[in-house]
Amino acid sequence: MKPLPTVGEPVRRLAIIGAGSSGLITLKFAIEQLPGWQVVCFEKSDRVTGVWGNPYRGFVSTSTRYTTQFCCFPEWDATVAADGGRSRGEFFRDGDYGDYLNRFADAFDLRRHVRFGHQVVSVAGADRDGWDVTVRPTRAEGGGMTERFDAVVICTGLTAAMKPVETSIPTLSIHDMNRGDGTCGIRGERIVVFGGGESGVDHATRLADPCLGNTVFLSLRTGIRVSPRYHPIHGVPSDFLRNRLLLSIHPGLRNAIGQRFVEARMLHQERFERWFPAAARAETAEDPRTVASRKAWAYRLTKAAKDDLFNMFHNKSDDFLTAVARGQVTIVGPPVDSSLQRFHGFDSSEVIDVRPTRVVPAIGYRSTLTAIGGESLCVRDFHRGCVHARRPGLYLVGFARPIIGNIPSISEVQAAFVVGMIGGRVSRPADIAARHEALERENDRRFATLDREIIHPVEMFPYCDALAKEMHRVPSLGGFGSIRAWWRAQLAPATTAHYWNDDPRIRRFFAAAPVFMPAVLVALLLALKPIDGVYRLRRRCRRPRAVA
Ligand SMILES: Cc1cc2nc3c(=O)[nH]c(=O)nc-3n(C[C@H](O)[C@H](O)[C@H](O)COP(=O)(O)OP(=O)(O)OC[C@H]3O[C@@H](n4cnc5c(N)ncnc54)[C@H](O)[C@@H]3O)c2cc1C
């Protein structure tokens, strides 16, 4: 435990901006681990649930409750409901996630540190060490008040502000689409949804409900990677098949082998289902032609994706494929011109007359950072997406976007890292600028198609492992207590809980997770390990030559 400041030592001050899931977990660690600091969290709304806490009726999350919950506040185990996925019982539904965050805030008495209804309008480096944070009450007119802080953690979220589409056609915003039943009462319209991310396909599917009588188009620039919410292997959530053994294979090899595996899974879904039976599968009364078309679209979208399997975001809202196969959603390419009247065909040379009466932009997000830090503040300047490489005392939590995975449990690892650095238990590398530059070059190569000014794209577990390494929290054999427990943890669903093995309560809770990966795949991965070893060795040998 850190010593309390001695009499006369000035009290240091930490500002946390935003009280969504990232702000809350940062606040929890800060008040526990920074004795002697005054911690203030500014939240512009009157809630602690962020953008996701209060979604439209019927919402189902894309990441499972088990993997998304904070490890320090576990409520759900990895049980799979025996109803073939009908209830979506392994996922957050409706306002479940908001309820969870409310319970979390109550359990650790966090609200008394939050100044609700206070919007931070600017964060500026003070002349001495420290930061001037200007705050304005949300409901009052007039200028703000400026307070000095020693450190600032920005947790304003990376999905709050959608990029607009320039058009005079009436637009539906993310805010509209997340209210009520999530369709804004839109009926009988011709709608184009732009973007193939989780939000985009979800909006398109809802608006295409036949009761609404809309004609819905989904405009995609390229193919997308669609992962099944429930995997044909044993019919379990895909999250539950990703384990540490699989992740221990080098991403280069995983990209190559994974791509073939995914294609085989799409083309031979029924075989996979036969070979790896599920406790229950949802009966499908679907016309065989619709089933075949769904499969064909999944394959076509994946084949047209412009980057390697683990270098671009995966979309797990796969229900939209059924809407596409039934003809309720038409996939088109980009618009022919800025009038947005005609669109290219998807991956084809035809031109389609669409003439939309509404558009829904879901083509990515605008930075929430520039609103408070000016144009010069961008995610790219933060080492590992959380520590400003040049300005000590400025941090981000919640700006890492996983290729596959979830944001809140990454935020938990980032929050532990950042608070550790503020408290001096994690050191700020002396050569941080050089390290940052090297990592940025690597990311430039790997994530060339993604906008890294506003997001920090990551492969969830390798990224969290890197932070854990700097915190000396890499899950070691000894940390699991026995070889048996360690081996089980390699096979069970991957979780960030393994970084907190020193907490017996967390270790016990997550040690009980079942293993879902079939023995034959475990054997294949083990057989791959020597090849992985050679692959890594060859890459290591090749690196110095490339530099020379
Ligand atoms: C409908 C929906 C479903 C989602 N489903 C998933 C999922 O299944 N899995 C997953 O991993 N992610 C999901 N997400 C993504 C989700 O955004 C993140 O997982 C999570 O909410 C991020 O939390 P955050 O605290 O970083 O950001 P946010 O939730 O955006 O919270 C940011 C907070 O900062 C406050 N704020 C912003 N600017 C200021 C300012 N200037 N001053 C003061 N306060 C400010 C905001 O009011 C807000 O409360 C979903 C998002 C939505 C909208």
Side-chain angles (χ1 to χ4, degrees):
M1 196 190 218
K2 286 276 293 173
L4 287 167
T6 52
V7 179
E9 198 176 306
V11 171
R12 282 175 299 169
R13 303 189 75 213
L14 167 66
I16 298 170
I17 308 174
S21 65
S22 302
L24 282 185
I25 187 70
T26 307
L27 179 59
K28 188 234 177 214
F29 285 137
I31 56 181
E32 280 176 3
Q33 296 174 20
L34 299 175
W37 281 69
Q38 188 192 22
V39 182
V40 185
C41 178
F42 298 103
E43 168 52 54
K44 67 179 180 185
S45 75
D46 54 4
R47 301 182 290 137
V48 292
T49 48
V51 285
W52 172 11
N54 193 18
Y56 60 89
R57 279 192 303 283
F59 164 79
V60 181
S61 66
T62 47
S63 52
T64 51
R65 295 189 300 195
Y66 174 74
T67 54
T68 307
Q69 64 192 333
F70 297 135
C71 302
C72 64
F73 192 58
E75 290 195 342
W76 295 281
D77 61 22
T79 304
V80 177
D83 61 3
R86 257 186 307 272
S87 65
R88 305 273 150 116
E90 307 81 8
F91 296 86
F92 292 104
R93 289 163 298 178
D94 298 311
D96 285 353
Y97 189 63
D99 296 343
Y100 172 72
L101 289 181
N102 275 313
R103 287 195 295 279
F104 178 71
D106 291 338
F108 298 101
D109 196 13
L110 301 179
R111 284 176 221 271
R112 67 195 172 90
H113 300 273
V114 183
R115 281 196 214 160
F116 290 104
H118 281 77
Q119 175 166 6
V120 171
V121 289
S122 87
V123 174
D127 41 5
R128 294 180 287 108
D129 281 350
W131 298 89
D132 284 334
V133 175
T134 304
V135 185
R136 200 170 48 201
T138 318
R139 285 186 220 280
E141 293 290 313
M145 256 186 47
T146 301
E147 294 182 44
R148 176 69 56 90
F149 288 89
D150 298 275
V152 176
V153 188
I154 303 174
C155 306
T156 48
L158 55 76
T159 62
M162 267 293 169
K163 271 190 195 154
V165 168
E166 293 298 325
T167 179
S168 55
I169 302 168
T171 298
L172 295 171
S173 70
I174 182 173
H175 181 68
D176 297 329
M177 295 301 302
N178 281 331
R179 268 190 325 206
D181 67 357
T183 63
C184 311
I186 301 292
R187 291 168 178 270
E189 305 237 20
R190 289 177 74 78
I191 306 166
V192 175
V193 178
F194 288 88
E198 256 138 20
S199 309
V201 304
D202 198 29
H203 299 333
T205 311
R206 271 180 283 139
L207 290 165
D209 185 331
C211 326
L212 300 174
N214 295 318
T215 306
V216 178
F217 298 85
L218 181 67
S219 168
L220 303 178
R221 282 201 174 275
T222 69
I224 52 179
R225 299 242 171 239
V226 187
S227 294
R229 192 188 285 274
Y230 288 93
H231 207 281
I233 295 181
H234 296 326
V236 301
S238 300
D239 278 3
F240 290 177
L241 289 170
R242 202 168 314 115
N243 61 21
R244 284 211 161 262
L245 178 61
L246 173 70
L247 292 162
S248 71
I249 307 292
H250 191 282
L253 260 187
R254 258 191 291 135
N255 264 323
I257 298 171
Q259 177 66 32
R260 287 192 181 88
F261 181 80
V262 164
E263 286 173 17
R265 188 253 299 152
M266 283 173 177
L267 292 174
H268 308 291
Q269 171 152 348
E270 299 76 14
R271 285 192 192 162
F272 275 73
E273 290 179 354
R274 223 170 351 161
W275 292 336
F276 306 109
R281 286 203 202 263
E283 287 296 319
T284 168
E286 207 67 77
D287 175 344
R289 273 173 309 186
T290 307
V291 174
S293 167
R294 192 191 139 101
K295 220 157 95 170
W297 267 108
Y299 189 72
R300 191 170 162 196
L301 289 170
T302 292
K303 281 303 252 188
K306 289 284 181 275
D307 214 331
D308 285 344
L309 188 62
F310 296 113
N311 293 1
M312 66 181 288
F313 301 125
H314 286 225
N315 184 329
K316 277 200 279 157
S317 297
D318 63 339
D319 290 343
F320 88 100
L321 288 172
T322 306
V324 172
R326 286 180 185 158
Q328 293 160 355
V329 171
T330 304
I331 296 187
V332 293
V336 169
D337 55 37
S338 58
S339 69
L340 309 187
Q341 297 301 301
R342 294 181 315 140
F343 285 69
H344 294 286
F346 175 74
D347 233 16
S348 81
S349 55
E350 69 181 313
V351 170
I352 301 159
D353 208 21
V354 172
R355 303 196 179 279
T357 54
R358 298 262 180 176
V359 296
V360 185
I363 47 170
Y365 305 100
R366 255 189 334 213
S367 168
T368 55
L369 284 188
T370 47
I372 53 177
E375 289 300 325
S376 61
L377 191 64
C378 74
V379 175
R380 214 187 164 92
D381 292 332
F382 288 78
H383 181 52
R384 297 207 183 278
C386 42
V387 179
H388 200 286
R390 296 184 307 278
R391 306 292 316 271
L394 188 59
Y395 305 92
L396 296 182
V397 171
F399 287 79
R401 172 102 205 266
I403 297 302
I404 309 178
N406 72 81
I407 297 175
S409 67
I410 297 181
S411 292
E412 184 176 21
V413 181
Q414 291 182 318
F417 178 70
V418 159
V419 170
M421 196 171 277
I422 295 169
R425 274 168 295 104
V426 176
S427 49
R428 182 181 168 92
D431 59 347
I432 188 167
R435 281 193 199 201
H436 179 57
E437 225 173 88
L439 275 174
E440 282 303 291
R441 273 199 303 273
E442 203 176 304
N443 283 337
D444 278 341
R445 267 197 307 275
R446 180 160 184 197
F447 300 116
T449 57
L450 303 178
D451 180 0
R452 293 195 304 102
E453 298 288 313
I454 55 169
I455 51 166
H456 185 69
V458 297
E459 227 197 300
M460 176 166 167
F461 283 94
Y463 170 73
C464 290
D465 282 354
L467 294 184
K469 193 168 171 200
E470 295 197 34
M471 290 189 279
H472 307 290
R473 287 199 163 275
V474 175
S476 66
L477 188 63
F480 286 99
S482 69
I483 293 186
R484 198 183 142 88
W486 172 84
W487 176 236
R488 201 180 159 80
Q490 307 310 301
L491 304 185
T495 161
T496 47
H498 297 150
Y499 308 129
W500 280 278
N501 267 341
D502 53 344
D503 182 327
R505 200 179 51 94
I506 297 179
R507 196 173 71 198
R508 264 199 309 278
F509 186 92
F510 288 91
V515 171
F516 295 100
M517 182 174 273
V520 61
L521 290 190
V522 172
L524 280 175
L525 286 171
L526 286 176
L528 203 58
K529 287 301 280 179
I531 302 171
D532 179 55
V534 174
Y535 182 84
R536 282 172 191 272
L537 203 66
R538 286 188 57 181
R539 283 180 66 96
R540 221 170 289 152
C541 295
R542 231 184 267 156
R543 211 175 292 148
R545 274 210 303 277
V547 170

